[in-house]
Amino acid sequence: MNYFTSAAAKQRFLSFCVLGAVLFTAIGFAIGLLWMGNRYPMLKEPAFQQFTVTYNKIINDYLNGAEPKKLINGAAVGMVSSLEDPYSRYLVEEKGDAYTQSYEGEIFGIGAEIREEEGEFVINGLTKGAPAERGGLLPGDIIISVDNQKLSGKTFEELLGIIRGKEGTSVSLQVQRPNQAELISLTLKREAIPVHTVTSELLEGGIGHVTISRFAEKTADEFEAAIKELQEKQPLKGLLLDMRSNPGGLLQPTIKIASTLIPKDKVILNVVYKNERQTISYKSKQEKDWTIPIAVLVNGQSASASEVLTAALKESAGATVIGEKTYGKGVVQGFNQFKDGSVLSLTEAQWKTPAGTWINKTGVSPDFAVSLPAYTELRPLAIGTDMKVGSYGEDVKTLQLMLKELGYTPAGQEGMFDKQTSEALRKFQTAEKLEATGSFNDKTGYQLLERLREKLAKEDSQLIKGLEVLKNRS
């Protein structure tokens, strides 16, 4: 009897344990689902089931096969693209690495500036002391192959991808030197090549002309060095800060430069996040008073961080802004880089000027509206453009306007490449010691742009106005 009683009790106990295990499993599963749903909210979306079915269908049934990683990256690219925000993007692997490297203070390569001309890649300039110069490359050399890969048919971007690489690795080149029959073969070792974003010169009357092309990792350090070098030459009477066509970049170097030029504790900008849940106010941390008058040059391509600095200098430091209304990019992107190099760049906030103005799609207005000469609006002629007698259209019209600006007239009937156009072009080619064919090619186009740049250097109406303003304030 005791045996049967204990057996029944044991049976009840076992039943209770089994029931407890089932309940525990069910509760654990429910908690797991809740946790998964909270951590991965897309699992709650009805459309996610369609995504899962589509993914599985492609993996299992697509005739040519598919790689899971490519499918998922493609989905991420599409997801960000669906936002229809020009500033948000998902960049896969190498593209993500290239994006982050573009803001670093250096790239890894050989230190050669290259231009594309007549389907060939020509050395345009060399970084002093870099592998290309030390190895004997010269401006004008034509790169025929890289690491035994012929370059015929490759794009400029593909060439850069081949030449650049990890620091310390080697790259082999074959180049054709003008007026030399045999190809030159050389092997160079890739090094860190500094990327400069600041240039400077001392102009008449003690005016420092400092140009910032974009805001990268070392831009603030370059700016500080440029100012120091200028002041060592001569005490500055004015600073002409040139940010024309500066597309922006990193915020931190922008804040650091602003803290040099703007009085301590003055507002630089306010960054306002989604639903105004957070506002970050950036104020100047100036350590040494800046007493030199400032004028800022901008145009319609000055955007983002260059607009931040322009507005801050105008409103918090009394700087004079000259040129054209800026682009109007008043939003801020944050970016995440993943282990494979891919990057998510996402618009996360808007920013206001020190005076509380939203500039997105509006821009910063200049104190003095000054336009550049009309020829600066001419669009560059695309690489590979060929024109000769009988050609017609907008490219011909652009070519004729360039020739007229440089004094080669008459340039022919507008938009029609006639004998007069050919003769004017032949005169230009002869003056530039080019083959005088009377037809347009890449070499001719490159020389035209060089001469127009030289002409603008003498006729830069915005810079001239900046000098005038600073002389009157000093």
Side-chain angles (χ1 to χ4, degrees):
M1 188 167 185
N2 288 338
Y3 170 78
F4 288 108
T5 302
S6 67
K10 187 178 288 185
Q11 186 67 34
R12 287 195 300 274
F13 176 74
L14 287 172
S15 297
F16 177 79
C17 287
V18 171
L19 179 61
V22 170
L23 286 172
F24 181 80
T25 301
I27 291 168
F29 183 70
I31 291 172
L33 284 177
L34 182 64
W35 180 81
M36 288 287 286
N38 286 333
R39 182 162 186 184
Y40 304 107
M42 68 179 179
L43 297 177
K44 298 178 182 178
E45 293 295 326
F48 184 71
Q49 185 177 357
Q50 297 163 216
F51 174 82
T52 304
V53 170
T54 302
Y55 174 83
N56 290 334
K57 184 71 174 170
I58 293 171
I59 289 294
N60 295 327
D61 298 334
Y62 178 55
L63 178 63
N64 298 318
E67 295 180 28
K69 187 175 183 181
K70 282 188 176 181
L71 290 178
I72 293 169
N73 276 328
V77 170
M79 185 162 50
V80 177
S81 296
S82 73
L83 300 174
E84 297 183 352
D85 174 10
Y87 308 119
S88 294
R89 49 197 167 159
Y90 186 89
L91 302 167
V92 179
E93 298 180 342
E94 293 87 356
K95 290 183 179 179
D97 271 331
Y99 175 80
T100 55
Q101 286 174 17
S102 69
Y103 292 111
E104 293 174 358
E106 57 193 19
I107 58 172
F108 299 110
I110 61 172
E113 180 187 326
I114 302 166
R115 71 176 187 268
E116 190 176 352
E117 192 176 89
E118 314 302 334
E120 297 176 327
F121 299 103
V122 183
I123 302 295
N124 194 51
L126 301 167
T127 300
K128 189 172 178 59
E133 186 190 55
R134 297 200 310 269
L137 280 176
L138 296 175
D141 286 349
I142 300 167
I143 305 175
I144 303 299
S145 69
V146 180
D147 288 339
N148 296 319
Q149 295 185 53
K150 295 289 183 182
L151 299 184
S152 178
K154 290 195 179 296
T155 66
F156 190 79
E157 289 71 23
E158 287 172 332
L159 169 66
L160 291 183
I162 300 169
I163 287 185
R164 293 177 182 173
K166 292 184 179 180
E167 184 176 17
T169 57
S170 295
V171 58
S172 298
L173 306 178
Q174 271 197 321
V175 301
Q176 177 74 63
R177 185 154 293 165
N179 303 318
Q180 189 168 315
E182 292 185 12
L183 296 181
I184 299 171
S185 299
L186 62 161
T187 300
L188 307 173
K189 190 168 286 188
R190 297 181 178 98
E191 293 181 1
I193 308 297
V195 177
H196 295 294
T197 57
V198 178
T199 57
S200 62
E201 60 179 338
L202 188 64
L203 301 178
E204 58 179 286
I207 305 297
H209 179 210
V210 177
T211 300
I212 303 177
S213 60
R214 62 191 179 93
F215 293 89
E217 199 174 74
K218 296 184 179 179
T219 300
D221 296 334
E222 287 187 62
F223 177 80
E224 183 181 348
I227 294 296
K228 183 179 179 182
E229 184 180 349
L230 288 170
Q231 289 179 322
E232 285 174 352
K233 292 178 181 177
Q234 180 180 336
L236 291 182
K237 298 287 183 64
L239 171 64
L240 190 58
L241 187 59
D242 197 335
M243 292 189 287
R244 290 176 291 182
S245 299
N246 180 322
L250 303 179
L251 184 60
Q252 290 309 314
T254 310
I255 299 297
K256 189 173 179 182
I257 292 171
S259 288
T260 298
L261 304 174
I262 293 172
K264 185 176 175 63
D265 294 329
K266 288 272 193 176
V267 173
I268 298 169
L269 83 159
N270 292 301
V271 179
V272 183
Y273 287 82
K274 184 178 180 179
N275 299 327
E276 299 188 0
R277 65 189 178 199
Q278 182 185 18
T279 298
I280 299 177
S281 182
Y282 292 90
K283 296 183 179 180
S284 173
K285 297 179 180 178
Q286 189 180 69
E287 296 177 356
K288 183 180 178 182
D289 288 348
W290 180 275
T291 58
I292 301 166
I294 303 170
V296 182
L297 303 182
V298 290
N299 62 11
Q301 288 74 52
S302 302
S304 192
S306 62
E307 294 178 284
V308 168
L309 186 54
T310 299
L313 290 171
K314 180 179 181 178
E315 297 177 4
S316 291
T320 303
V321 179
I322 297 157
E324 305 161 359
K325 183 182 284 190
T326 61
Y327 182 81
K329 182 178 180 288
V331 289
V332 181
Q333 285 70 48
F335 74 89
N336 299 82
Q337 185 163 29
F338 303 100
K339 289 182 179 179
D340 67 351
S342 297
V343 164
L344 170 62
S345 176
L346 187 69
T347 299
E348 297 181 354
Q350 294 188 74
W351 61 270
K352 294 190 291 188
T353 71
T357 303
W358 300 102
I359 69 103
N360 198 45
K361 298 182 180 179
T362 301
V364 180
S365 296
D367 297 300
F368 292 97
V370 180
S371 297
L372 288 174
Y375 61 83
T376 62
E377 298 295 325
L378 294 175
R379 59 186 180 83
L381 294 164
I383 298 296
T385 301
D386 290 314
M387 288 179 278
K388 57 187 177 182
V389 172
S391 299
Y392 62 91
E394 288 300 312
D395 284 342
V396 174
K397 183 178 176 181
T398 298
L399 170 62
Q400 290 169 332
L401 290 171
M402 288 179 173
L403 289 168
K404 285 179 181 177
E405 285 295 337
L406 295 172
Y408 293 92
T409 55
Q413 183 181 340
E414 187 176 286
M416 178 63 68
F417 201 118
D418 53 20
K419 289 183 178 179
Q420 281 187 318
T421 306
S422 180
E423 185 56 33
L425 189 59
R426 186 177 284 107
K427 288 178 181 177
F428 173 79
Q429 290 169 330
T430 301
E432 295 295 320
K433 298 180 180 177
L434 300 171
E435 185 180 359
T437 61
S439 299
F440 179 86
N441 54 27
D442 288 344
K443 288 182 180 179
T444 303
Y446 175 74
Q447 288 300 109
L448 279 166
L449 286 179
E450 284 297 296
R451 297 300 163 257
L452 287 171
R453 286 192 191 101
E454 291 173 2
K455 180 178 173 68
L456 178 60
K458 300 172 184 176
E459 302 173 355
D460 189 337
S461 47
Q462 293 168 346
L463 187 143
I464 292 167
K465 182 63 177 180
L467 286 172
E468 177 192 317
V469 168
L470 289 172
K471 285 176 182 175
N472 290 336
R473 291 185 60 183
S474 60

